[in-house]
PDB file of all heavy atoms in Angstrom:
ATOM      1  N   GLY A 409    -115.910 -35.905-167.330  1.00  0.00           N
ATOM      2  CA  GLY A 409    -115.628 -34.467-167.088  1.00  0.00           C
ATOM      3  C   GLY A 409    -115.507 -34.109-165.642  1.00  0.00           C
ATOM      4  O   GLY A 409    -115.150 -32.924-165.356  1.00  0.00           O
ATOM      5  N   ARG A 410    -115.790 -35.020-164.722  1.00  0.00           N
ATOM      6  CA  ARG A 410    -115.616 -34.741-163.313  1.00  0.00           C
ATOM      7  C   ARG A 410    -114.753 -35.678-162.569  1.00  0.00           C
ATOM      8  O   ARG A 410    -114.692 -35.702-161.364  1.00  0.00           O
ATOM      9  CB  ARG A 410    -117.046 -34.705-162.643  1.00  0.00           C
ATOM     10  CG  ARG A 410    -118.027 -33.699-163.203  1.00  0.00           C
ATOM     11  CD  ARG A 410    -117.510 -32.295-163.009  1.00  0.00           C
ATOM     12  NE  ARG A 410    -118.427 -31.283-163.651  1.00  0.00           N
ATOM     13  CZ  ARG A 410    -118.196 -29.986-163.734  1.00  0.00           C
ATOM     14  NH1 ARG A 410    -117.064 -29.523-163.241  1.00  0.00           N
ATOM     15  NH2 ARG A 410    -119.052 -29.186-164.291  1.00  0.00           N
ATOM     16  N   ASN A 411    -114.037 -36.535-163.347  1.00  0.00           N
ATOM     17  CA  ASN A 411    -113.166 -37.615-162.772  1.00  0.00           C
ATOM     18  C   ASN A 411    -113.950 -38.346-161.653  1.00  0.00           C
ATOM     19  O   ASN A 411    -113.410 -38.629-160.591  1.00  0.00           O
ATOM     20  CB  ASN A 411    -111.894 -36.955-162.160  1.00  0.00           C
ATOM     21  CG  ASN A 411    -110.963 -36.533-163.264  1.00  0.00           C
ATOM     22  OD1 ASN A 411    -111.216 -36.747-164.471  1.00  0.00           O
ATOM     23  ND2 ASN A 411    -109.915 -35.820-162.894  1.00  0.00           N
ATOM     24  N   LEU A 412    -115.176 -38.717-162.020  1.00  0.00           N
ATOM     25  CA  LEU A 412    -116.049 -39.391-161.076  1.00  0.00           C
ATOM     26  C   LEU A 412    -115.775 -40.827-160.976  1.00  0.00           C
ATOM     27  O   LEU A 412    -115.910 -41.481-159.898  1.00  0.00           O
ATOM     28  CB  LEU A 412    -117.511 -39.152-161.471  1.00  0.00           C
ATOM     29  CG  LEU A 412    -118.634 -39.746-160.617  1.00  0.00           C
ATOM     30  CD1 LEU A 412    -118.676 -39.092-159.262  1.00  0.00           C
ATOM     31  CD2 LEU A 412    -119.982 -39.640-161.353  1.00  0.00           C
ATOM     32  N   LEU A 413    -115.386 -41.430-162.068  1.00  0.00           N
ATOM     33  CA  LEU A 413    -115.264 -42.894-162.198  1.00  0.00           C
ATOM     34  C   LEU A 413    -113.827 -43.377-162.166  1.00  0.00           C
ATOM     35  O   LEU A 413    -112.891 -42.560-162.406  1.00  0.00           O
ATOM     36  CB  LEU A 413    -115.992 -43.320-163.505  1.00  0.00           C
ATOM     37  CG  LEU A 413    -117.426 -42.811-163.664  1.00  0.00           C
ATOM     38  CD1 LEU A 413    -117.941 -43.053-165.051  1.00  0.00           C
ATOM     39  CD2 LEU A 413    -118.319 -43.499-162.622  1.00  0.00           C
ATOM     40  N   ASP A 414    -113.643 -44.671-161.915  1.00  0.00           N
ATOM     41  CA  ASP A 414    -112.300 -45.245-161.857  1.00  0.00           C
ATOM     42  C   ASP A 414    -111.813 -45.547-163.277  1.00  0.00           C
ATOM     43  O   ASP A 414    -112.442 -46.361-163.984  1.00  0.00           O
ATOM     44  CB  ASP A 414    -112.287 -46.504-161.032  1.00  0.00           C
ATOM     45  CG  ASP A 414    -110.940 -47.077-160.881  1.00  0.00           C
ATOM     46  OD1 ASP A 414    -110.149 -46.631-160.043  1.00  0.00           O
ATOM     47  OD2 ASP A 414    -110.595 -48.010-161.699  1.00  0.00           O
ATOM     48  N   PRO A 415    -110.729 -44.945-163.748  1.00  0.00           N
ATOM     49  CA  PRO A 415    -110.250 -45.177-165.116  1.00  0.00           C
ATOM     50  C   PRO A 415    -109.988 -46.613-165.441  1.00  0.00           C
ATOM     51  O   PRO A 415    -110.374 -47.109-166.468  1.00  0.00           O
ATOM     52  CB  PRO A 415    -108.978 -44.325-165.199  1.00  0.00           C
ATOM     53  CG  PRO A 415    -109.121 -43.278-164.073  1.00  0.00           C
ATOM     54  CD  PRO A 415    -109.881 -43.961-163.009  1.00  0.00           C
ATOM     55  N   ARG A 416    -109.302 -47.330-164.532  1.00  0.00           N
ATOM     56  CA  ARG A 416    -108.971 -48.745-164.801  1.00  0.00           C
ATOM     57  C   ARG A 416    -110.244 -49.598-164.941  1.00  0.00           C
ATOM     58  O   ARG A 416    -110.304 -50.457-165.844  1.00  0.00           O
ATOM     59  CB  ARG A 416    -108.076 -49.282-163.677  1.00  0.00           C
ATOM     60  CG  ARG A 416    -106.693 -48.676-163.679  1.00  0.00           C
ATOM     61  CD  ARG A 416    -105.809 -49.351-162.630  1.00  0.00           C
ATOM     62  NE  ARG A 416    -104.462 -48.771-162.625  1.00  0.00           N
ATOM     63  CZ  ARG A 416    -103.498 -49.190-161.793  1.00  0.00           C
ATOM     64  NH1 ARG A 416    -103.707 -50.196-161.015  1.00  0.00           N
ATOM     65  NH2 ARG A 416    -102.319 -48.607-161.847  1.00  0.00           N
ATOM     66  N   GLU A 417    -111.185 -49.328-164.038  1.00  0.00           N
ATOM     67  CA  GLU A 417    -112.444 -50.069-164.098  1.00  0.00           C
ATOM     68  C   GLU A 417    -113.136 -49.823-165.364  1.00  0.00           C
ATOM     69  O   GLU A 417    -113.665 -50.746-166.027  1.00  0.00           O
ATOM     70  CB  GLU A 417    -113.329 -49.676-162.910  1.00  0.00           C
ATOM     71  CG  GLU A 417    -114.641 -50.488-162.873  1.00  0.00           C
ATOM     72  CD  GLU A 417    -115.531 -50.107-161.679  1.00  0.00           C
ATOM     73  OE1 GLU A 417    -115.009 -49.384-160.755  1.00  0.00           O
ATOM     74  OE2 GLU A 417    -116.744 -50.425-161.701  1.00  0.00           O
ATOM     75  N   MET A 418    -113.224 -48.573-165.786  1.00  0.00           N
ATOM     76  CA  MET A 418    -113.933 -48.219-167.052  1.00  0.00           C
ATOM     77  C   MET A 418    -113.290 -48.829-168.266  1.00  0.00           C
ATOM     78  O   MET A 418    -113.880 -49.332-169.153  1.00  0.00           O
ATOM     79  CB  MET A 418    -114.047 -46.681-167.186  1.00  0.00           C
ATOM     80  CG  MET A 418    -114.929 -46.030-166.167  1.00  0.00           C
ATOM     81  SD  MET A 418    -116.668 -46.563-166.249  1.00  0.00           S
ATOM     82  CE  MET A 418    -116.776 -47.577-164.788  1.00  0.00           C
ATOM     83  N   ARG A 419    -111.937 -48.772-168.298  1.00  0.00           N
ATOM     84  CA  ARG A 419    -111.226 -49.373-169.417  1.00  0.00           C
ATOM     85  C   ARG A 419    -111.409 -50.898-169.418  1.00  0.00           C
ATOM     86  O   ARG A 419    -111.457 -51.483-170.496  1.00  0.00           O
ATOM     87  CB  ARG A 419    -109.751 -48.961-169.345  1.00  0.00           C
ATOM     88  CG  ARG A 419    -109.519 -47.449-169.592  1.00  0.00           C
ATOM     89  CD  ARG A 419    -108.061 -47.058-169.589  1.00  0.00           C
ATOM     90  NE  ARG A 419    -107.966 -45.654-169.884  1.00  0.00           N
ATOM     91  CZ  ARG A 419    -107.394 -44.748-169.073  1.00  0.00           C
ATOM     92  NH1 ARG A 419    -106.917 -45.192-167.928  1.00  0.00           N
ATOM     93  NH2 ARG A 419    -107.354 -43.498-169.401  1.00  0.00           N
ATOM     94  N   GLY A 420    -111.461 -51.481-168.220  1.00  0.00           N
ATOM     95  CA  GLY A 420    -111.671 -52.906-168.131  1.00  0.00           C
ATOM     96  C   GLY A 420    -113.013 -53.328-168.651  1.00  0.00           C
ATOM     97  O   GLY A 420    -113.192 -54.469-169.078  1.00  0.00           O
ATOM     98  N   LEU A 421    -113.983 -52.404-168.603  1.00  0.00           N
ATOM     99  CA  LEU A 421    -115.327 -52.657-169.139  1.00  0.00           C
ATOM    100  C   LEU A 421    -115.403 -52.428-170.654  1.00  0.00           C
ATOM    101  O   LEU A 421    -116.468 -52.588-171.238  1.00  0.00           O
ATOM    102  CB  LEU A 421    -116.383 -51.846-168.405  1.00  0.00           C
ATOM    103  CG  LEU A 421    -116.590 -52.091-166.901  1.00  0.00           C
ATOM    104  CD1 LEU A 421    -117.542 -51.147-166.280  1.00  0.00           C
ATOM    105  CD2 LEU A 421    -117.065 -53.544-166.691  1.00  0.00           C
ATOM    106  N   GLY A 422    -114.324 -52.008-171.270  1.00  0.00           N
ATOM    107  CA  GLY A 422    -114.300 -51.818-172.682  1.00  0.00           C
ATOM    108  C   GLY A 422    -114.437 -50.340-173.121  1.00  0.00           C
ATOM    109  O   GLY A 422    -114.469 -50.108-174.352  1.00  0.00           O
TER     110      GLY A 422
END
Side-chain angles (χ1 to χ4, degrees):
R410 300 298 177 185
N411 289 354
L412 179 70
L413 307 168
D414 183 84
R416 291 185 180 181
E417 181 181 345
M418 291 299 107
R419 292 184 180 119
L421 294 176

